Amino acid sequence: MKDLEKIFSIKIDNPELFSRALTHPSFTKERELPYTENYERLEFLGDAVLKLVTSDILYNHFPDYAEGNLSKIRSIVVSDSTLSKIAHNINLCDFIIVAAHEAKQGVAHIESVCACAFEAVLGAYYLDGKLNELIPFLTKILMPYIEEVDKNFEKYNAKAMLQEYTQSINKEIPLYRLVSETGPAHNRTFEVEVLYKGEVVSSGSGKTKKEAEQHAAYEACKIFGVI
């Protein structure tokens, strides 16, 4: 708990909440504990806290942006990909409690697990009465990602842009095909091809299938002159 306090620079009054926030469902299943003792319920709450604070940051930082643009930026900033990067950067993943077998598989460092734990900790801090302290923490940690997404929005929104383009021509949508999947479970690399009219247009790789698809779509957008 002391290490967690240092990471967030926020005092913890109810340690049990945070122990639960860092407990993976595999651990409660292994120990035959109630499902309420893992992070799933706190993740649900933390997700809402994150979206509220992120919405507030975006609303104030981009006073001229339309609701649609704000929503698109928020969806990327609060995605598992971004949250996992944050969790790894602050070493939060090292604290996640998993079952013995899952620990050997590196489950604690999988993108979705790290993202869930991060949101669960936010939920725990909310219940601990620390929302006001969370706001400056999240503002500081999210702003670099917000500015990056805003600056390179086409890169992050390539799948939607590609689909809009292809549908405007003949109503067909691009298809994505997984080509390869390499590396250990906690550090996979995916390669994906994007097909249009049955032909391979481009390919891309990433740490998740979604990321690989986005990279492939971005390359396709450049080929079609959309970007």
Side-chain angles (χ1 to χ4, degrees):
M1 292 304 117
K2 292 295 181 184
D3 290 333
L4 201 60
E5 285 180 338
K6 289 178 182 177
I7 289 172
F8 285 81
S9 297
I10 304 174
K11 188 176 183 299
I12 291 172
D13 292 327
N14 189 345
E16 289 184 9
L17 281 173
F18 296 86
S19 178
R20 199 181 308 152
L22 293 169
T23 300
H24 187 262
S26 66
F27 185 83
T28 50
K29 184 177 181 180
E30 179 187 62
R31 300 298 176 92
E32 298 183 344
L33 298 171
Y35 75 92
T36 52
E37 294 303 308
N38 65 49
Y39 63 45
E40 290 180 332
R41 282 171 52 84
L42 283 169
E43 178 216 342
F44 166 78
L45 183 60
D47 175 70
V49 171
L50 176 66
K51 285 178 179 174
L52 173 62
V53 176
T54 305
S55 299
D56 182 70
I57 295 169
L58 293 172
Y59 185 86
N60 289 292
H61 192 69
F62 300 112
D64 300 324
Y65 279 22
E67 178 271 340
N69 289 339
L70 295 174
S71 293
K72 288 176 181 177
I73 294 174
R74 184 183 65 187
S75 69
I76 297 167
V77 172
V78 303
S79 68
D80 280 1
S81 177
T82 302
L83 300 185
S84 177
K85 289 174 185 175
I86 292 172
H88 276 100
N89 287 342
I90 62 177
N91 297 318
L92 182 68
C93 309
D94 295 338
F95 298 109
I96 300 173
I97 305 162
V98 298
H101 179 265
E102 279 69 14
K104 293 177 182 177
Q105 301 298 317
V107 167
H109 289 269
I110 290 176
E111 180 180 275
S112 59
V113 174
C114 292
C116 287
F118 180 74
E119 289 183 321
V121 170
L122 299 184
Y125 266 124
Y126 174 78
L127 290 179
D128 210 28
K130 304 298 169 57
L131 179 60
N132 288 337
E133 287 93 331
L134 271 181
I135 293 172
F137 169 81
L138 287 173
T139 300
K140 180 181 178 180
I141 209 165
L142 292 177
M143 277 310 302
Y145 295 95
I146 290 171
E147 290 172 350
E148 161 69 13
V149 172
D150 180 55
K151 183 179 178 181
N152 301 290
F153 187 70
E154 291 177 333
K155 177 182 175 182
Y156 291 96
N157 198 43
K159 283 185 69 176
M161 293 174 66
L162 180 62
Q163 183 165 320
E164 287 176 9
Y165 171 75
T166 58
Q167 285 188 310
S168 70
I169 297 174
N170 59 6
K171 304 300 182 184
E172 287 191 38
I173 62 173
L175 300 176
Y176 297 88
R177 179 171 64 195
L178 181 64
V179 177
S180 66
E181 185 177 339
T182 57
H186 66 283
N187 190 26
R188 306 296 273 174
T189 297
F190 300 86
E191 184 175 355
V192 168
E193 292 177 335
V194 57
L195 299 90
Y196 178 57
K197 294 183 179 179
E199 299 290 332
V200 176
V201 179
S202 61
S203 64
S205 61
K207 290 301 180 183
T208 66
K209 283 186 279 189
K210 286 183 179 179
E211 186 178 84
E213 288 173 359
Q214 202 68 253
H215 290 166
Y218 182 68
E219 293 303 317
C221 283
K222 289 196 290 186
I223 290 170
F224 286 135
V226 179
I227 297 175

